[in-house]
Amino acid sequence: VELVESGGGLVQAGGSLRLSCQASGIHPSYAIVWFRQAPGKERARVAHFTRGEGAPYYADSVKGRFTISRDNAKNTVYLQMNNLKPEDTAVYYCAAGTLPFSDPRHYTFWGRGTQVTVSS
């Protein structure tokens, strides 16, 4: 089982980045969830798909700016981040779990993370 994030970097406020999470060895029924952790703060859920035809979940702080998408052929989930703000600065992780729990302690599989830094 492996999750590998990429796409982070340094960007000015108002800019965009697209993060990728490539998964291997993950059961197809598992949820892939994006989290982020800012310095001195707890790891927080950012976005994930919902089962069936439901709309994706987004944290209130990123609604309207971030979009989650996936390419099943590549086993990759993306996070398009637009209109980035300094408060989006964090290490972004993807995690895989049986359900898209909000509590990061419920996840067994994590990537190593990718740093996103937004300058003002």
Side-chain angles (χ1 to χ4, degrees), residues 65-104:
R65 301 186 298 120
F66 290 13
T67 303
I68 191 170
S69 62
R70 59 191 165 195
D71 184 334
N72 290 331
K74 296 182 178 180
N75 294 322
T76 300
V77 177
Y78 302 98
L79 187 67
Q80 177 67 42
M81 307 186 298
N82 297 329
N83 190 21
L84 282 161
K85 303 176 180 181
E87 52 263 43
D88 294 317
T89 295
V91 179
Y92 284 71
Y93 300 90
C94 57
T98 55
L99 289 171
F101 301 104
S102 61
D103 188 338

Side-chain angles (χ1 to χ4, degrees), residues 2 5 13 18 25 29 38 48-49 52 65 67 72 90 94 104 112:
E2 187 176 31
E5 303 95 338
R18 188 177 80 155
S29 68
H48 61 79
F49 288 103
R65 301 186 298 120
T67 303
N72 290 331
C94 57
R112 293 185 176 183

Side-chain angles (χ1 to χ4, degrees), residues 10-24:
L10 172 64
V11 64
Q12 289 187 333
S16 299
L17 287 172
R18 188 177 80 155
L19 306 184
S20 300
C21 171
Q22 186 165 23
S24 59

Side-chain angles (χ1 to χ4, degrees), residues 100-119:
F101 301 104
S102 61
D103 188 338
R105 294 174 296 179
H106 290 301
Y107 292 83
T108 302
F109 306 115
W110 289 91
R112 293 185 176 183
T114 185
Q115 176 70 48
V116 171
T117 303
V118 184
S119 63

Side-chain angles (χ1 to χ4, degrees), residues 51-68:
R51 293 182 186 271
E53 299 301 318
Y57 163 87
Y58 296 100
D60 288 343
S61 57
V62 307
K63 281 181 182 177
R65 301 186 298 120
F66 290 13
T67 303
I68 191 170

